Amino acid sequence: MKSTVLSVLFVFLLFVVLLASTAQADSMLRGAFFNPKVSGGWWQAIVCYDVYRNEVNKELSELVDKTGINFIDIQVLIPQTLKTPKVPPSDPNAPISSWANMRTMNNLVDFLDYCYSKNVSVEIDLANNMWIPYTVDPNHHIANEKWWPVPDNDPWTESIIWYTQIIEYVEKNVKDKRAIVLWDMFGNYQYGGAEPVLWDTPWNPKIKVYTERFVKKVWPHFYRAGERPKGAPILLPILAGKEATPSYRLSGFRNLKKWLVYDLNMPPDYWIMSTYVKSDPAADGFYYLKHIVEILGRKNANKIISTDFKGPGHENDDPPGVIDRSNLTGPEMLQWHFNKAKEYGFAGWWWWAYRDGATPNGTPAYWGIRDDKDNWREDLVKVIAQQKQAK
């Protein structure tokens, strides 16, 4: 009788362990940058969601069914949100409707509601170009282009309003806030929808000086806005060039850790970082991911999301420095990232991108797991789908 009871107890405990293991595996964020095929480009998917709703919903549903992902990343660019082109908010006491394109705001809410109905969590990267005053680097500022606002000498005042009012409006109006896995304080003064310049800038020290000032002014407001988790500004290792030292390549990680954790005492809910294949170790023998984890803290590894990583089609995007992926197939490139996320215990990952697209100069880019004719690249789909079952 005693042995029977022990056997039953052992089976029960084994079941509990397996159940916990499955839950842990499924809790990993597994996602993609979502760039559905709509007229005018993927960036119109949210702005014009009321027009493209059926197409966008169908694509999201097909992506989830095909790959088993539970997570997507989207960008909301500041030009898309402004009622009047190039005019950011300036009055903190005025309602969001005084400056915002409310069609974009309400379409974002509706899209998030659909994502939640599909059990898909969303990282929302709020892309603001006003990280430094225009006068600091006028020749390279994206404000020279048609749609992007021109930042004044204290751009954090407008940026605080922009970030916080969007977060608060969307969270107030979605059916369930859990649709939003995190908000990210995103944007690049030179490229708009890109990682901010957080690294050392010896060629123009004012860029780093004003970026630090921006982060310290804006982050406390951004962090406290709404209820959903906040991601630190997306970090980028500088792997281009063969002469740079590893210390310089990871300077953005050290800078942001100092600003948010040591100076403000306001660590983020998630650390977001762009990741390059074969960077741990890289061609220079340095283990960049290992040292990134050490900088951010090993206890924080489960708060790191490995993002923006690339499969085939990104050969021209790889920095011509310490990255050499010439001996990897497309599936092996993706598997490398998945393995590293598991090895270090990251919170999750997303890759760029769901669909093929185009480079900033208009050159076609074949970087998606689905082409413009709706064909899936089955070898890439297979290795992604396998991650759902991975324990």
Side-chain angles (χ1 to χ4, degrees):
M1 180 67 178
K2 184 177 180 180
S3 61
T4 302
V5 172
L6 289 175
S7 297
V8 171
L9 181 60
F10 174 77
V11 171
F12 174 74
L13 290 175
L14 180 61
F15 174 76
V16 170
V17 169
L18 290 174
L19 187 64
S21 174
T22 302
Q24 182 179 15
D26 197 53
S27 67
M28 175 174 275
L29 297 168
R30 297 170 282 104
F33 178 76
F34 184 57
N35 56 337
K37 184 176 69 174
V38 297
S39 178
W42 60 261
W43 48 89
Q44 299 293 334
I46 299 301
V47 179
C48 303
Y49 181 66
D50 51 335
V51 174
Y52 300 122
R53 183 188 309 271
N54 292 338
E55 295 94 321
V56 173
N57 289 358
K58 181 174 183 290
E59 292 219 26
L60 179 64
S61 180
E62 290 173 348
L63 173 61
V64 172
D65 292 343
K66 188 75 174 178
T67 65
I69 62 170
N70 58 10
F71 174 48
I72 61 170
D73 174 77
I74 63 172
Q75 292 182 5
V76 176
L77 310 178
I78 189 170
Q80 301 171 327
T81 68
L82 300 179
K83 177 186 293 185
T84 304
K86 296 185 75 75
V87 180
S90 58
D91 183 357
N93 298 312
I96 189 172
S97 58
S98 68
W99 61 266
N101 179 341
M102 297 310 294
R103 179 188 181 190
T104 299
M105 295 295 100
N106 293 325
N107 279 338
L108 176 58
V109 168
D110 289 346
F111 176 67
L112 291 171
D113 287 341
Y114 182 75
C115 290
Y116 189 73
S117 74
K118 297 294 295 182
N119 295 316
V120 173
S121 300
V122 184
E123 172 186 328
I124 305 172
D125 299 336
L126 294 179
N128 170 22
N129 68 302
M130 301 188 296
W131 282 66
I132 63 173
Y134 177 77
T135 55
V136 170
D137 192 7
N139 293 332
H140 300 108
H141 213 295
I142 199 173
N144 292 316
E145 297 186 6
K146 182 178 180 181
W147 299 106
W148 298 81
V150 179
D152 59 18
N153 289 330
D154 56 352
W156 42 85
T157 58
E158 294 88 350
S159 298
I160 288 169
I161 301 169
W162 185 75
Y163 282 120
T164 59
Q165 288 197 359
I166 290 177
I167 292 170
E168 289 164 357
Y169 179 85
V170 171
E171 288 198 16
K172 180 180 178 181
N173 287 279
V174 289
K175 291 179 180 177
D176 196 309
K177 296 182 180 69
R178 289 175 293 178
I180 306 162
V181 70
L182 71 112
W183 295 95
D184 192 83
M185 199 173 103
F186 186 56
N188 182 290
Y189 82 90
Q190 189 172 357
Y191 300 108
E195 302 93 336
V197 180
L198 302 167
W199 49 89
D200 294 342
T201 57
W203 62 91
N204 186 343
K206 285 186 177 180
I207 295 174
K208 179 183 172 183
V209 168
Y210 276 96
T211 299
E212 178 179 359
R213 189 174 303 176
F214 180 91
V215 169
K216 290 181 177 179
K217 293 281 188 181
V218 177
W219 178 256
H221 298 271
F222 178 87
Y223 185 78
R224 296 188 187 105
E227 299 176 6
R228 297 303 293 154
K230 304 302 188 303
I234 296 183
L235 290 152
L236 177 68
I238 308 301
L239 301 182
K242 295 184 178 180
E243 303 302 323
T245 65
S247 179
Y248 169 74
R249 297 183 192 280
L250 298 182
S251 59
F253 291 80
R254 292 189 179 87
N255 291 340
L256 192 62
K257 172 76 175 292
K258 177 181 182 297
W259 300 340
L260 298 188
V261 178
Y262 299 139
D263 296 345
L264 292 177
N265 193 28
M266 297 185 72
D269 299 299
Y270 290 102
W271 296 98
I272 319 297
M273 67 172 180
S274 294
T275 311
Y276 287 95
V277 71
K278 296 295 289 289
S279 60
D280 192 64
D284 61 357
F286 194 79
Y287 284 74
Y288 285 93
L289 293 185
K290 175 184 176 182
H291 284 82
I292 285 169
V293 171
E294 290 176 352
I295 291 169
L296 300 181
R298 289 192 175 274
K299 67 180 181 180
N300 295 319
N302 63 352
K303 297 181 180 180
I304 297 174
I305 302 178
S306 176
T307 74
D308 200 30
F309 58 72
K310 317 295 198 295
H314 286 276
E315 289 76 12
N316 293 330
D317 298 338
D318 286 341
V322 296
I323 297 301
D324 179 8
R325 60 178 188 163
S326 59
N327 65 335
L328 296 182
T329 66
E332 287 172 342
M333 293 176 197
L334 294 179
Q335 190 64 57
W336 185 94
H337 289 288
F338 301 147
N339 290 343
K340 287 296 178 179
K342 293 171 189 171
E343 176 184 343
Y344 288 109
F346 294 158
W349 43 260
W350 57 259
W351 81 89
W352 186 294
Y354 156 57
R355 282 272 194 183
D356 284 351
T359 63
N361 64 11
T363 304
Y366 306 103
W367 55 38
I369 64 168
R370 197 175 193 184
D371 65 24
D372 283 341
K373 295 182 180 179
D374 295 339
N375 300 307
W376 296 91
R377 295 187 171 98
E378 296 291 348
D379 58 338
L380 301 179
V381 169
K382 181 178 179 181
V383 71
I384 294 166
Q386 287 173 344
Q387 307 313 305
K388 182 178 181 180
Q389 287 79 36
K391 298 295 187 288

